[in-house]
Amino acid sequence: IKFASESQDAYKQFAAATGTATENLGKYQDMINNVYKDNFGESIGDVADAMAKVDQNMSYLDDSALQRCTEYAYTLADTFDVDIGESTRAADSLSKNFGVSAREAFNLMAQGAQNGLDFSGELFDNVDEYSVQFQKLGLDAEDMFSIFANGAENGAFNLDKIGDAVKEFSIRAIDGSETTKQGFEAIGMNADKMAKRFAAGGQDAKAAFNEVIQGLAGMDDPVAQSAAGVNLFGRWITLCRIKIAQNRWRLNCLMKEWVLGKMTNYATI
């Protein structure tokens, strides 16, 4: 009797949180029960609250995906102590900005956390905040995690400094300012031509970004390299301590191994 009463309260809680009409509640009751039967959540009410958060943050999910993503979010919460609202906002940003599936989004985050990218407790917030900035430069989700890993491996004390550097570059690359012009000229590039490539987005913007990274990495004078880096990426590039091209492609390959499920148990979620 107690469980039945708790279940009814949970269903009402879900309906109120999501605006679900009473006549449509039946299928959600089944999904909430299924997640709870799969040993997720501290109570049926906890599951209803979690599923409501997933539905609010990823409202485009169909019924089966909503149940799966609730379980994915619980897996992250139980393993990495990440709030379900936080992880689903990040998953939503990955899906919307990079076109990855919900499963791929949760896999990327799980594997990133598993490999130390949540060292500053900001991985999920930073994925949510900065995905759009990486996407502007034609970069994909794997590129973003690779760049985060690069910065973390080379001493960045906060992931958001890495995200800020990329955000700053996405602004400066097309702003036509004198400092941006000087930054491009220092690596032998024409600012106007590069601005057009970055404004176009897509694969050409990604290629242009890689050319900039390689151009900075190829500078022999560390003082001039630092000045060019600051002109293009702002002061954040010194704070995040990115060693500009070193290890990038190795880390990209590593991330692809994560995505293909070659590392540990998250490949099957």
Side-chain angles (χ1 to χ4, degrees):
I1 295 175
K2 181 180 178 181
F3 180 76
S5 175
E6 290 176 349
S7 297
Q8 290 304 312
D9 289 342
Y11 305 147
K12 291 177 183 177
Q13 170 187 331
F14 177 86
T18 60
T20 302
T22 303
E23 59 269 22
N24 296 326
L25 194 54
K27 61 181 180 181
Y28 295 107
Q29 292 175 0
D30 292 339
M31 288 190 285
I32 292 168
N33 289 336
N34 289 339
V35 172
Y36 189 58
K37 288 175 184 176
D38 285 340
N39 295 315
F40 291 103
E42 296 180 358
S43 66
I44 192 76
D46 184 60
V47 172
D49 179 62
M51 189 171 287
K53 288 179 180 177
V54 177
D55 186 64
Q56 290 164 352
N57 291 332
M58 306 177 76
S59 58
Y60 45 83
L61 296 174
D62 62 27
D63 295 344
S64 61
L66 177 59
Q67 180 176 324
R68 289 196 306 273
C69 285
T70 301
E71 296 191 354
Y72 295 168
Y74 264 121
T75 299
L76 286 180
D78 293 343
T79 308
F80 302 110
D81 194 30
V82 57
D83 177 73
I84 285 176
E86 190 177 334
S87 68
T88 51
R89 285 191 298 271
D92 177 63
S93 289
L94 286 170
S95 295
K96 287 181 176 177
N97 287 297
F98 300 119
V100 301
S101 69
R103 174 178 175 173
E104 290 171 326
F106 280 100
N107 264 328
L108 282 165
M109 294 187 295
Q111 292 147 0
Q114 191 175 50
N115 286 275
L117 293 190
D118 199 31
F119 67 94
S120 59
E122 302 172 311
L123 173 62
F124 303 93
D125 279 341
N126 279 284
V127 167
D128 180 29
E129 181 176 356
Y130 293 110
S131 289
V132 65
Q133 305 301 334
F134 284 84
Q135 187 273 336
K136 285 180 183 177
L137 297 174
L139 302 172
D140 59 27
E142 293 177 42
D143 294 321
M144 181 176 71
F145 279 89
S146 176
I147 291 170
F148 279 153
N150 183 321
E153 184 173 273
N154 288 297
F157 53 87
N158 289 105
L159 276 190
D160 69 341
K161 305 309 179 195
I162 303 168
D164 282 333
V166 172
K167 178 181 178 180
E168 189 71 16
F169 179 75
S170 73
I171 296 169
R172 293 187 180 211
I174 59 175
D175 70 2
S177 68
E178 186 61 29
T179 54
T180 299
K181 182 180 178 182
Q182 291 171 1
F184 279 126
E185 287 179 347
I187 54 176
M189 296 178 181
N190 180 279
D192 292 336
K193 290 181 179 178
M194 295 301 285
K196 290 177 181 177
R197 295 176 68 185
F198 284 113
Q203 288 300 308
D204 194 34
K206 179 175 180 176
F209 180 80
N210 288 332
E211 290 167 18
V212 170
I213 297 299
Q214 291 163 9
L216 287 169
M219 296 181 71
D220 295 325
D221 183 344
V223 175
Q225 183 192 57
S226 177
V230 171
N231 281 339
L232 293 172
F233 288 87
R235 65 189 181 90
W236 305 110
I237 198 168
T238 58
L239 293 176
C240 68
R241 304 175 192 168
I242 298 174
K243 292 181 182 177
I244 295 173
Q246 189 177 359
N247 296 325
R248 173 172 167 73
W249 300 117
R250 182 180 68 79
L251 288 164
N252 243 343
C253 292
L254 179 59
M255 180 54 66
K256 288 177 181 177
E257 287 186 4
W258 291 345
V259 174
L260 291 171
K262 295 180 181 177
M263 296 180 70
T264 66
N265 59 334
Y266 283 96
T268 59
I269 70 169

